[in-house]
Amino acid sequence: SVVSPVVEFQVTRWRIPHWLAILTTLIVVLAMLALLGLPLIWAVQTMVRAAGEYSEQVIDLIKRLFATTDALFDKLNAHDIQIDQARIATELESRLPGYITQAAGTVTAVFSHGFLIVIFVVFLLVGRNPHQKQIGIYAEIESTIRHYIATMTTLSAITGILVGFVLWAFGLRMAFLFGLLAFLLNFIPNIGSIIAVLLPIPVAVTQFQDPWMVLVVVAVPGAIH
């Protein structure tokens, strides 16, 4: 729905051969994916490099939490309910970097699927006649889909820019990455916005260690959405 008008315009207006119009359109699509992919690849590398640092901060936070709840653990131990704080901390310390790396791998997989989708789009464009004028219900469906995509893209871009700027103003690390993710996730109805709002929480908790700042980092982007 998005790229077929580009092919049709080149064929009907510029008299470019169909195969060449598809090739140039494919290059444009790949360039757009690269523009989206490069910041995410950089962010993934940053997250992997910072995995150890965030793990240490989380462990420190857990230890401080344990320190404030020693009375509770004493009462539990008095009832023969044993909680090994050191073991919990060690387990978290060993597994957190893996969780972060796994999340980074998920982002990479999304973009690899994106390139696979591009291949399918090429086949769809090859089978489409650019000289055939769409009329009736089919034309109305295409028009509605394109209008929806244009509207969602505009709203998502505004949302992503505002979220990224607000998080940057609060001093959150990788703020513009979360803005980019807010842009992408906003295309997923209902649940996408919720995920985009919750994503910065782990970074905010480890960076600020202040419940009010964490609340602000969630509430303001939530209000924007």
Side-chain angles (χ1 to χ4, degrees), residues 4-48:
S4 59
V6 180
V7 175
E8 293 168 2
F9 180 84
Q10 294 179 78
V11 173
T12 57
R13 297 291 182 88
W14 293 352
R15 307 297 180 183
I16 294 177
H18 191 201
W19 67 268
L20 183 57
I22 293 175
L23 180 61
T24 55
T25 303
L26 176 62
I27 292 173
V28 171
V29 171
L30 290 175
M32 293 176 64
L33 285 176
L35 288 175
L36 285 175
L38 288 176
L40 280 181
I41 291 172
W42 168 81
V44 164
Q45 293 174 343
T46 303
M47 290 174 66
V48 171

Side-chain angles (χ1 to χ4, degrees), residues 5 8 12 20 29 31 46 56 76 80 100 102 114 121 124 143-144 146 148 156 162 186-187 189 192 196 204 222:
E8 293 168 2
T12 57
L20 183 57
V29 171
T46 303
E56 292 174 2
L76 292 174
D80 294 328
I100 297 174
Q102 184 178 359
V121 170
L124 290 171
S143 176
T144 303
R146 288 170 184 166
Y148 171 78
S156 298
L162 290 176
N186 202 53
F187 285 93

Side-chain angles (χ1 to χ4, degrees), residues 81-94:
I81 302 174
Q82 301 296 324
I83 296 179
D84 191 343
Q85 299 179 26
R87 182 179 178 184
I88 294 174
T90 303
E91 286 288 328
L92 283 172
E93 192 168 7
S94 62

Side-chain angles (χ1 to χ4, degrees), residues 3 20 45 47 65 97 108 130 144 157 168 199-200 205 224:
V3 302
L20 183 57
Q45 293 174 343
M47 290 174 66
L65 179 63
T108 306
T144 303
W168 171 80
L199 275 179
V205 169
I224 292 172

